[in-house]
Amino acid sequence: MAGIYVSGGTYSGSGDVTTDWVRIESTSPSSVFIAPDGTLTLTLDTNDPATGERALYNNGTFTHNSGTVYVNVSTSAATYAKLDARASYYNVIIKNDGSDTNRVQMDNTAASIANDLTIEQGSLETYNSSGRHLTVGHIAIIESGGTI
């Protein structure tokens, strides 16, 4: 599987979409990613060849479309996943083994999840240079060892 790359145009998905990574570039005309109204599943099985990371990278415009971003980091990934906090999300589901190498990190700015944050397993880390910030509508931790 490969990723979704948006540069100088608009990507619009519907229903459920599964991909390894998403990269939205800062270009002219602007790059816009309209998330599917179902679930955007990031498998993170391969690295984005330009950034070398397993990530949803947003340097353009990410529109959540009231959908869900499901980040499922497998134990074979052996690297942490980045969920770019420059995007505002509606629902986010996190699943990873909780190890330092397979964690999910939201960075670059204050993170915002308008509706539900669900940690099925593992951990979510938020960070930016001025500290850790996360605004969430509702939180559910399903696994007893899940952390935020």
Side-chain angles (χ1 to χ4, degrees):
M1 187 179 316
I4 298 172
Y5 174 58
V6 183
S7 179
T10 299
Y11 170 90
S12 180
S14 64
D16 296 333
V17 175
T18 299
T19 187
D20 281 346
W21 47 265
V22 173
R23 180 165 33 108
I24 310 160
E25 287 292 351
S26 171
T27 58
S28 180
S30 64
S31 300
V32 178
F33 182 94
I34 301 172
D37 52 4
T39 300
L40 171 63
T41 300
L42 299 174
T43 60
L44 305 163
D45 288 334
T46 63
N47 290 346
D48 176 338
T51 65
E53 298 175 341
R54 297 170 192 264
L56 187 152
Y57 173 81
N58 177 37
N59 207 21
T61 301
F62 177 92
T63 302
H64 65 60
N65 201 22
S66 298
T68 298
V69 175
Y70 179 52
V71 184
N72 186 3
V73 183
S74 69
T75 55
S76 63
T79 186
Y80 71 95
K82 288 186 178 180
L83 192 58
D84 201 320
R86 289 177 286 194
S88 176
Y89 301 95
Y90 188 71
N91 293 318
V92 173
I93 301 172
I94 302 294
K95 183 177 181 183
N96 59 71
D97 68 5
S99 69
D100 190 51
T101 55
N102 289 332
R103 71 189 186 280
V104 176
Q105 181 184 61
M106 293 181 90
D107 62 356
N108 293 327
T109 189
S112 174
I113 301 169
N115 198 39
D116 294 337
L117 167 62
T118 303
I119 300 176
E120 288 185 346
Q121 179 181 349
S123 62
L124 171 65
E125 174 183 296
T126 62
Y127 180 76
N128 70 34
S129 59
S130 61
R132 297 171 189 265
H133 305 279
L134 178 63
T135 303
V136 179
H138 307 97
I139 296 176
I141 298 178
I142 296 176
E143 181 201 34
S144 61
T147 60
I148 182 167

